[in-house]
Amino acid sequence: MKWQIIFSGLRARPVRTGVTVLAVSLQVALILVIVGLTTGTVNEIGKRIAGVGADIMFQPSGADVLLAANSATLKESYAPKIAEKEGIQSIAPVLVKISTSPLVNLFGIDPPSFDQVSGGFEYQAGRVFSAPNEIVIDDIFAKDKKLAVGDSIELLKNELKVSGIVTNGKGARVFMDLKALQEINSSPGMVSLFFIKLKDSHDINGAIAKLKLDFPGYEIRNLPEYTELMNGASIPGFDAFNAVVVFVALCIGILVIFLSMYTTIMERTREIGILRSLGASKTFIVTLIMKESILLCVIGVVLGTIGSELIVNGAKSVYPTLAFLISYKWMMNAAISALVSGVIGSLHPALKAASQDPVEAFAYE
Amino acid sequence: MLLETVDLKKTYRTGKVDVEALRGVNIRIRAGELVAIMGPSGCGKSTLMHLLGAMVRATSGQVLVDGKDIARMNDSERTAVRRTKIGFVFQKLNLLPTLTARANIEIARTIQGSEGDSPTDSYLAEILKLLKIDEKLDRKPSELSGGEQQRFAIARAVSHRPAIVLADEPTGALDSKNSEAVLQMFRELNRKFQQTILLVTHNPELAGYADRLIEMRDGLVVHDSGSVASAAVGV
């Protein structure tokens, strides 16, 4: 019976109901889209790096798990010394560089060694670069920037020409000659990391342990496990950023629900007086108001989740390089955030409604 | 004795001024009576109604319902009394506007704990038929005339068979034809089901429908046409 009052009340005030549900959906969508973007981006980078196909990533001492955060402080000449160690099949030096306009990561590679480690690119068009001003790009970057073989694009303040387009997933979106990128970066002979392929990939951790004995202090990581490293625990500020997003969304939700429920109990003072005169307890009134609030939030959660999927799909079609990851965990977090907003936001209005004097409520016009 | 007040007083504070709404009211109501309480505006009849209906606490004195004093009960105790013993009919806007007439009765029965029976059970069906609203259950208040709304309010008030029905100016918002019909229905409810009813009105013509007339002035009962004490001494 309580639900009948709640549903009829919501139907009788369609604008209030619609605006409240919309606000809660925005709260849910805000969490899912923003956290989905950060998580998705990090996850996509992890998958792309792991997708190189190497077994080990060898970085200088103190290097961050985020490749873009590091500079080129590893001597390229180290490569032969590592390569001569037992169990190493091949080694590929890579210089990682970030272009800020447009925002994209570049790998400076030596194609023969990179192919040996990664198994080679899958070309969709064109060929490998053969001049310092040529680049190979992946299909997603090509689609995003509407580039074809032969087109030029300015990266790192250099006019670079597309020589080939490859299938995405091999570390970076743009590849160019290692020496050329070292020249642009003013760091001849220096690289960011080495990708290492083992003769036997079954005991990567054993090989890492041996390398650590020979090269103490260096960051030597298991590449197939790299995706797992790309999470909140290993990226500074990542979890804090997500927590701030949830907190802001929660505050918005609480304020919206508070205003909505406060307005509705002021409108329905006389109705509450009728219920109190019929013998409705304070608990009855409080649960009535809170159930209405929670129902609005549940509808908002459903619409917000659907809405966030639509936003993500729309954003991906416009910006193909964007990566989103809307996980069940974050769907639950967003739903809990909305429901907590519903409970906290409606608590004061519900208590106010329940404490109304029935005589005064009846006198209210 | 179903309902009794003993030296009942109620003082309201308005700003820094104390207003004595009731200054010592003594009335005794027997089960099955239809009583009209009359008096000019401000004489304290609505305050008396609120005290009898466990809506407010008394300043002093007693309100005995079935021998139990409700005058100084706390809010939850008074709520329980309203739920189990009292049925209210107010002057206007008695029904929840967003619900159908049927749902208005059902919500009352839910609150009062008699939800198991639908409004079409035999007692309620008889009430609805008596009030001539049995075919309008699925209409919303906005689709009913003022008289029909008031009749549904009466049906809701008696749906849980309360000890007493309190009606505060129940015809105040109705035209003369509807007023007469509503009062006639109160009388039929009283006759047929021995429902105890207290009507508050300032219209002397309506008093003719009651068995007994209590007149109030300045917070006191100034005349009681059929008090238990009067009846005992043959007044």
Side-chain angles (χ1 to χ4, degrees):
Chain A
M1 193 61 230
K2 263 187 197 173
W3 288 111
Q4 198 171 342
I5 301 181
I6 292 166
F7 281 120
S8 65
L10 294 180
R11 277 199 302 270
R13 297 168 183 83
V15 174
R16 199 264 312 185
T17 303
V19 169
T20 309
V21 166
L22 183 65
V24 175
S25 349
L26 285 174
Q27 175 191 357
V28 171
L30 176 74
I31 293 173
L32 291 181
V33 171
I34 293 183
V35 173
L37 180 60
T38 55
T39 313
T41 302
V42 167
N43 185 266
E44 193 270 341
I45 291 169
K47 277 186 180 171
R48 206 149 21 94
I49 301 299
V52 167
D55 297 316
I56 293 170
M57 184 165 69
F58 189 106
Q59 293 176 281
S61 173
D64 199 277
V65 69
L66 272 178
L67 302 188
N70 304 313
S71 51
T73 56
L74 197 60
K75 286 181 182 169
E76 191 183 345
S77 57
Y78 255 56
K81 292 178 189 169
I82 298 168
E84 67 190 23
K85 297 295 173 191
E86 186 192 344
I88 306 292
Q89 180 184 295
S90 52
I91 182 164
V94 174
L95 173 58
V96 180
K97 187 78 182 162
I98 291 290
S99 159
T100 51
S101 180
L103 184 63
V104 66
N105 64 335
L106 295 89
F107 273 11
I109 58 170
D110 164 49
S113 65
F114 193 79
D115 284 355
Q116 277 187 336
V117 166
S118 68
F121 291 116
E122 184 184 318
Y123 280 89
Q124 296 183 1
R127 51 161 177 79
V128 71
F129 43 78
S130 58
N133 68 335
E134 285 188 342
I135 52 173
V136 167
I137 60 174
D138 77 1
D139 50 348
I140 292 175
F141 189 68
K143 187 180 173 191
D144 183 37
K145 299 298 170 199
K146 298 179 178 57
L147 292 171
V149 171
D151 291 343
S152 292
I153 181 169
E154 189 180 306
L155 292 172
L156 305 171
K157 295 182 180 170
N158 283 266
E159 195 72 12
L160 301 171
K161 190 177 173 187
V162 178
S163 68
I165 296 172
V166 297
T167 302
N168 67 84
K170 291 281 184 186
R173 298 220 178 275
V174 180
F175 303 87
M176 66 185 298
D177 180 65
L178 177 60
K179 303 284 182 225
L181 190 56
Q182 285 171 334
E183 189 68 28
I184 290 171
N185 196 44
S186 303
S187 57
M190 303 301 282
V191 295
S192 307
L193 56 91
F194 297 120
F195 284 124
I196 297 169
K197 188 75 181 172
L198 299 174
K199 288 174 184 164
D200 178 7
S201 299
H202 290 101
D203 187 19
I204 297 174
N205 288 333
I208 288 173
K210 284 180 189 169
L211 282 172
K212 280 188 173 176
L213 286 174
D214 295 331
F215 301 95
Y218 286 86
E219 298 291 344
I220 305 170
R221 305 182 200 277
N222 183 326
L223 206 59
E225 293 174 2
Y226 186 80
T227 313
E228 293 165 28
L229 287 175
M230 297 293 276
N231 57 37
S234 50
I235 299 172
F238 186 81
D239 285 343
F241 175 81
N242 287 345
V244 167
V245 170
V246 172
F247 178 74
V248 170
L250 187 66
C251 290
I252 293 169
I254 289 171
L255 288 174
V256 167
I257 293 290
F258 174 81
L259 279 175
S260 172
M261 300 315 293
Y262 195 85
T263 309
T264 197
I265 66 143
M266 295 305 286
E267 278 178 8
R268 288 148 72 178
T269 298
R270 195 176 170 90
E271 289 177 48
I272 291 161
I274 293 171
L275 292 172
R276 293 284 280 141
S277 75
L278 292 171
S281 65
K282 287 183 174 181
T283 308
F284 182 97
I285 303 292
V286 167
T287 54
L288 188 72
I289 302 290
M290 293 192 81
K291 278 184 176 177
E292 179 171 323
S293 162
I294 289 168
L295 177 64
L296 287 168
C297 290
V298 168
I299 299 169
V301 166
V302 173
L303 292 182
T305 306
I306 296 168
S308 62
E309 287 289 342
L310 296 175
I311 292 168
V312 163
N313 289 334
K316 273 182 174 174
S317 67
V318 178
Y319 304 104
T321 53
L322 292 180
F324 293 88
L325 180 65
I326 298 181
S327 63
Y328 288 118
K329 177 192 158 192
W330 276 100
M331 281 185 188
M332 284 299 296
N333 286 347
I336 289 167
S337 148
L339 295 178
V340 167
S341 304
V343 171
I344 296 175
S346 64
L347 194 58
H348 175 71
L351 292 173
K352 185 179 169 64
S355 62
Q356 274 178 0
D357 185 301
V359 174
E360 285 178 14
F362 245 101
Y364 191 86
E365 294 286 345
Chain B
M1 196 60 53
L2 177 65
L3 184 62
E4 183 176 2
T5 67
V6 181
D7 197 24
L8 187 62
K9 291 180 182 173
K10 179 68 182 175
T11 303
Y12 289 108
R13 175 158 276 249
T14 308
K16 291 182 178 175
V17 181
D18 285 338
V19 179
E20 286 187 294
L22 295 183
R23 297 190 293 142
V25 171
N26 295 286
I27 57 170
R28 302 177 79 190
I29 310 289
R30 288 163 295 219
E33 279 192 300
L34 173 52
V35 180
I37 299 174
M38 279 192 61
S41 292
C43 70
K45 54 188 190 300
S46 288
T47 301
L48 177 60
M49 191 67 91
H50 295 151
L51 283 162
L52 297 179
M55 298 273 261
V56 291
R57 293 180 76 181
T59 304
S60 67
Q62 290 181 306
V63 178
L64 302 168
V65 178
D66 281 339
K68 195 171 182 180
D69 188 10
I70 64 167
R72 311 299 294 274
M73 284 181 169
N74 64 28
D75 182 79
S76 63
E77 290 169 331
R78 281 186 282 118
T79 301
V81 169
R82 288 199 298 275
R83 190 161 54 233
T84 54
K85 303 274 186 190
I86 313 289
F88 278 105
V89 179
F90 294 93
Q91 186 176 355
K92 57 180 179 175
L93 300 172
N94 268 299
L95 303 179
L96 296 169
T98 58
L99 297 179
T100 62
R102 182 193 301 278
N104 263 282
I105 294 171
E106 283 175 355
I107 187 65
R109 287 158 70 85
T110 301
I111 291 168
Q112 288 143 2
S114 48
E115 192 182 17
D117 307 320
S118 78
T120 51
D121 71 6
S122 59
Y123 167 72
L124 192 55
E126 210 172 336
I127 296 289
L128 294 171
K129 201 169 179 184
L130 175 74
L131 296 172
K132 300 186 177 106
I133 47 175
D134 51 329
E135 291 176 359
K136 296 182 176 180
L137 276 164
D138 294 318
R139 295 191 189 180
K140 285 196 170 176
S142 59
E143 297 162 345
L144 297 167
S145 71
E148 287 167 341
Q149 287 186 43
Q150 207 61 325
R151 278 182 266 166
F152 272 111
I154 295 168
R156 187 181 61 188
V158 301
S159 66
H160 63 300
R161 298 174 186 259
I164 188 159
V165 170
L166 302 172
D168 192 0
E169 302 275 10
T171 59
L174 302 179
D175 59 30
S176 58
K177 190 180 165 192
N178 271 308
S179 295
E180 195 175 326
V182 164
L183 287 165
Q184 189 64 41
M185 284 162 187
F186 271 120
R187 193 151 77 177
E188 286 190 42
L189 278 172
N190 171 253
R191 296 282 182 274
K192 195 163 184 178
F193 300 103
Q194 287 73 52
Q195 176 67 59
T196 310
I197 299 170
L198 254 76
L199 295 171
V200 162
T201 181
H202 62 267
N203 186 346
E205 289 176 23
L206 306 184
Y209 288 87
D211 302 328
R212 180 176 158 195
L213 176 64
I214 295 172
E215 286 184 69
M216 291 185 68
R217 198 175 301 273
D218 298 329
L220 291 168
V221 172
V222 293
H223 174 74
D224 187 344
S225 71
S227 75
V228 178
S230 301
V233 294
V235 176

